[in-house]
Amino acid sequence: MDHTSELTLEVERFLTSLGRERQFSENTIAAYRNDLTQFVDYVLHPPAEDQLTPLSSWSELTSDHLNRYLGFMSQRQYAPSTVARKTAALKSFSQHLAHAGFVRSDPARELTPPRVNRFVPKAISVEEIERLMALPRSAVESGTPEAYRDLAMLETLYASGMRVSELVALNVSDVDYAGLRITCPGKSGRRRVVPLRPVALSALSAYVERGRPQFVHDGESALFVNHRGGRLTRQGFWLILK
């Protein structure tokens, strides 16, 4: 097994444990995978100016590798929020290496993430919401499946307040038209029942009857689907919203 495979294999073992034992969401695990893959690339091919010997095993990992990696990101002007997120991934993975016996002590124990300023989200006004909703409402007159879907998504979000990650995780069976409610998948497998306004249920009904059948393949359970008939992703939703 080459060095790249050896290092990557342990990263995958760690990511598997996040989902199986700590019940991290798929989105969080994907972010950790991206962050740790970048770190693996750094320790395998460190810049010459950092004067680091490439790692051949995680047992060689030291706090110097981690600190130099933070400096590497700072020099390339990574946003503090990005560095903080990557630092959290490194600290968690470093603890895993210590518990698994790859290193005697946690090399990230003293690693300090940059301070990130937290901003209070700004809610858009009722007038802005009406302008936003007017676009898919007017588009529905064209009868395109995209218009039915987009209106149903926005009406559902507006009526329920659910997260986008929860919205795209909905299945067709989660909508209770008679009970005026929808079962929303939450974090760690928990589910909650959310009441919906008739206008949202009407938009959902129109989408399921007239829009979704033009997208979907047989056997697909997802409520909101992309143009290929598969479950819509968060990224796909944001592209539509944009």
Side-chain angles (χ1 to χ4, degrees), residues 11 14-15 18 31-43 58 61-63 65-73 82-98 103 106-109 111-113:
V11 168
F14 167 67
L15 295 173
L18 292 183
Y32 270 52
R33 175 175 284 107
N34 179 67
D35 294 338
L36 293 174
T37 297
Q38 290 181 356
F39 180 63
V40 167
D41 184 64
Y42 173 81
V43 295
W58 286 121
L61 183 67
T62 68
S63 59
H65 292 97
L66 298 165
N67 286 317
R68 288 181 183 272
Y69 184 57
L70 291 187
F72 169 82
M73 289 189 288
T82 300
V83 177
R85 190 197 71 226
K86 292 181 182 295
T87 302
L90 290 173
K91 288 179 72 70
S92 186
F93 180 60
S94 182
Q95 290 175 357
H96 164 81
L97 293 177
V103 288
D106 181 1
R109 183 174 50 195
L111 203 64
T112 304

Side-chain angles (χ1 to χ4, degrees), residues 32 51 62 74-75 92 110 124 129 157 181 185 206 229 242:
Y32 270 52
Q51 298 181 340
T62 68
S74 177
Q75 291 171 4
S92 186
E110 305 298 329
I124 63 177
I129 290 173
L157 281 178
R181 60 190 183 182
K242 185 178 179 180

Side-chain angles (χ1 to χ4, degrees), residues 161-217:
M162 68 177 65
R163 302 176 181 88
V164 172
S165 58
E166 295 171 334
L167 179 82
V168 298
L170 290 170
N171 291 325
V172 175
S173 60
D174 291 328
V175 185
D176 180 359
Y177 297 98
L180 303 179
R181 60 190 183 182
I182 192 167
T183 301
C184 176
K187 292 183 176 181
S188 302
R190 295 189 296 270
R191 300 172 68 83
R192 68 182 188 278
V193 176
V194 181
L196 285 184
R197 299 182 304 161
V199 66
L201 286 163
S202 177
L204 281 167
S205 178
Y207 160 64
V208 170
E209 292 177 7
R210 303 170 204 163
R212 187 175 179 275
Q214 298 186 55
F215 288 125
V216 78
H217 304 305

Side-chain angles (χ1 to χ4, degrees), residues 1-11 37 40-41 43-45 55-58:
M1 182 183 298
D2 60 26
H3 300 331
T4 302
S5 299
E6 182 178 344
L7 298 183
T8 302
L9 180 60
E10 195 56 37
V11 168
T37 297
V40 167
D41 184 64
V43 295
L44 283 172
H45 311 286
L55 289 189
S56 59
S57 168
W58 286 121

